Amino acid sequence: MMTESKEIKLIDEEGRRVDGRKPDELRPIRIEAGVLEKSDGSAYIEVGRTKIFAAVFGPREVHPKHLELPDRAVLNCRYHMASFSVDERKPLGMTRREIELSKVLREALETVVFLEEFPRTMIDVFVEVIQADGGTRTAGITAASLALADAGIPMSDLIAATAVGKVAGTLVLDINDIEDKYGEADMPVAMTPRRNSIVLLQLNGRMTSEELKKALEMASQGIKKIYQLQIEALKKRYSVVSLEE
Amino acid sequence: MSLSTKSPRMSPIKIMQNRIYELLKQGKRIDGRAPHEIRPVSISTSVIEKADGSAMVSMGGTKILTGIKVETGTPYSDRPNEGVFTVNAELLPLASASFEPGPPDERAVELARIVDRCIRESRAIDLEKLVITEGERVYMLYIDIYVLDYDGNYFDPAVLSAVAALATCKIPRYEVRNGKLERVEGESMKTPIRTIPVSVMIGVIQDRLLVDPSPMEERALDTSVILGYDSDSNIVSIQKNAPGLLSLNIMEQIIELGSKKAEELRSILVEAVGLG
């Protein structure tokens, strides 16, 4: 992470951010469930200019067979960015960052999915970032948990997520790409709101203990709002089905 | 692709989990340690003569070797006046029956990225001092971490060994003479270090915390978090690295415990490498 650049004013005199938001304001969010035909469940999310598809297949047979677990389903998660999703073309194939994020996303999802209901099967979760403008892992997991729900897979709760950053010494909710690049810290948080507990937590950058506690509180407030949008998206998807019956 | 591996909910682990939790409530652990007690740490530096910097660290039975090779190269175009460092980690097959040969798997990638983040985000290395000619030639530090023996928690000793190797690294000096890059024979410089980052792995079982888990404890934990701290007690990196719930209340306790343990580890490190 770079030190604050002189040309870019991350917080202006009125306390507004580069895109005009207040410190505790989310970007405009659009969430839709059931957007892809062939997968068992899917979702699409836009958070500002960040755009992501998520799709779920399964529970289905495990390939290769030796990976299956006797007491529960195997959850397979792939977080992937399109080559054109970022400013400079991303080379094809999985980067180390994508490998790491696939792991933390899987671990977060494993926490809420009732895997023991489907022993000897596999549930595949694919997250495709088609445009990245900050907060892709958090938007990705928000979409992935919605896609799992859309696939009818039993879960203890949805997962909603956002990142809190520190720019020009101020804590800000839902940081975008510029704030991430030129700011001092980026902390992605995913929670299961019903249990008010964290399922994914990372931090890049410097914060004091006090700032960290405040940042977690801020994230949890933002997450509650995103959670409501997820529930609305699910209701919207399934109210159509109930009218047809 | 990231796949679920072991089966943490299988009954033998459940039984161990109950046992570990009962002991924690009495302030004890299976190997006789107190809940917030780190295993004995030993650090020896400059153990590999052919490396520019190296350190062997053991923490209990976990043994990590870090070697640093310095090369010169071109800086990144967006950072023309900064040197470059990269961190790589390998979980060697001789370290554990659960490690397999081959390219780094997701655990190794995660380890490398956590160590990288501790060093990078704390701005431990003054990269601007690693420039030979601005925009053209800089020093490149390749920090390679090998897990030689895995007896739980390879994160904290990996950060210790990487930082110990950095702090004792002798960077061979290069100079541009008549437009040509030349090695200045017999001359070297110390790594410009600004702060001493350390990491602390903390495990959670229900409402109890423990540090530096053994392999058995790692399997039984509800979840775990690795925190990186700089010399001023700022938190510079966090990684929740296992499935499971983490309440906000527990997280606050983790932050407090982490900063205490970080102090302890840093003083061991400072004593070993003579940084002050």
Side-chain angles (χ1 to χ4, degrees), chain B residues 105-234:
Chain B
D105 65 1
E106 64 176 25
R107 292 176 297 174
V109 168
E110 182 180 53
L111 171 60
R113 286 180 59 86
I114 287 173
V115 177
D116 182 290
R117 234 174 276 163
C118 275
I119 298 170
R120 199 174 300 280
E121 302 298 344
S122 64
R123 298 199 275 146
I125 309 172
D126 191 348
L127 293 172
E128 291 180 12
K129 294 206 174 119
L130 293 180
V131 177
I132 303 165
T133 28
E134 201 174 308
E136 284 173 23
R137 215 72 192 166
V138 297
Y139 293 102
M140 306 181 100
L141 274 49
Y142 292 92
I143 304 168
D144 295 321
I145 298 167
Y146 289 90
V147 179
L148 293 180
D149 212 348
Y150 167 61
D151 192 30
N153 179 25
Y154 46 58
F155 298 101
D156 305 349
V159 175
L160 288 175
S161 76
V163 177
L166 268 176
T168 53
C169 184
K170 293 188 177 72
I171 299 174
R173 283 228 318 131
Y174 284 85
E175 255 179 23
V176 179
R177 287 184 197 140
N178 311 323
K180 269 173 79 182
L181 185 74
E182 278 176 30
R183 169 81 214 267
V184 185
E185 280 310 321
E187 275 193 39
S188 63
M189 60 181 201
K190 282 178 118 182
T191 317
I193 298 232
R194 285 195 284 222
T195 189
I196 301 161
V198 291
S199 83
V200 181
M201 182 179 188
I202 297 178
V204 183
I205 298 187
Q206 298 183 46
D207 57 343
R208 300 281 159 163
L209 303 182
L210 56 85
V211 299
D212 183 26
S214 69
M216 191 189 285
E217 287 168 340
E218 277 185 1
R219 278 196 298 275
L221 292 173
D222 289 337
T223 192
S224 51
V225 184
I226 298 129
L227 303 101
Y229 290 84
D230 69 10
S231 302
D232 301 317
S233 286
N234 290 308

Side-chain angles (χ1 to χ4, degrees), chain A residues 72 75 100 198 202 206, chain B residues 6 113 117 123 239:
Chain A
R72 60 180 184 135
L75 189 73
E100 185 201 351
I198 299 162
Q202 293 179 293
R206 277 188 295 184
Chain B
K6 49 191 185 240
R113 286 180 59 86
R117 234 174 276 163
R123 298 199 275 146
Q239 179 92 335

Side-chain angles (χ1 to χ4, degrees), chain A residues 1-3 67 69-78 94 96-97 99-100 102-104 106-108 110-111 113 115-116 122 126 184 187 191-192 195-210 212-213 216-217 220, chain B residues 1-10 77-79 82 87-89 104-107 109-110 112-114 116-117 120-123 225 227 229-230 233-248 251-252 255-256 259:
Chain A
M1 207 161 292
M2 251 163 66
T3 44
L67 293 173
L69 298 174
D71 61 329
R72 60 180 184 135
V74 170
L75 189 73
N76 173 32
C77 181
R78 190 178 98 129
M94 296 284 278
R96 297 208 307 175
R97 178 178 172 276
I99 292 170
E100 185 201 351
S102 296
K103 179 178 184 283
V104 292
R106 169 181 56 80
E107 289 168 348
E110 274 190 31
T111 309
V113 176
L115 294 170
E116 55 281 6
M122 183 182 249
F126 299 115
E184 296 113 69
M187 183 178 76
M191 292 178 75
T192 141
R195 301 283 296 273
N196 199 30
S197 286
I198 299 162
V199 291
L200 179 153
L201 179 65
Q202 293 179 293
L203 167 70
N204 275 276
R206 277 188 295 184
M207 280 195 196
T208 64
S209 305
E210 286 314 307
L212 183 59
K213 286 175 200 165
L216 283 170
E217 188 47 44
S220 123
Chain B
M1 303 261 249
S2 180
L3 292 154
S4 331
T5 43
K6 49 191 185 240
S7 263
R9 288 165 207 175
M10 284 180 86
S77 56
D78 54 343
R79 282 156 207 213
E82 282 184 17
V87 179
N88 195 52
D105 65 1
E106 64 176 25
R107 292 176 297 174
V109 168
E110 182 180 53
R113 286 180 59 86
I114 287 173
D116 182 290
R117 234 174 276 163
R120 199 174 300 280
E121 302 298 344
S122 64
R123 298 199 275 146
V225 184
L227 303 101
Y229 290 84
D230 69 10
S233 286
N234 290 308
I235 298 146
V236 295
S237 77
I238 299 181
Q239 179 92 335
K240 178 175 175 292
N241 79 321
L245 296 173
L246 189 61
S247 72
L248 291 171
M251 191 57 211
E252 290 204 1
I255 296 167
E256 299 308 326
S259 82

Side-chain angles (χ1 to χ4, degrees), chain A residues 104-140:
Chain A
V104 292
L105 254 57
R106 169 181 56 80
E107 289 168 348
L109 293 169
E110 274 190 31
T111 309
V112 294
V113 176
F114 293 134
L115 294 170
E116 55 281 6
E117 302 265 325
F118 308 103
R120 296 179 195 285
T121 67
M122 183 182 249
I123 299 168
D124 292 285
V125 179
F126 299 115
V127 174
E128 287 294 333
V129 178
I130 57 168
Q131 183 161 279
D133 190 37
T136 55
R137 82 197 72 178
T138 50

Side-chain angles (χ1 to χ4, degrees), chain B residues 40-44 56-60 268:
Chain B
V41 176
S42 82
I43 301 174
S44 37
M56 177 84 86
V57 170
S58 65
M59 201 162 172
I268 295 171

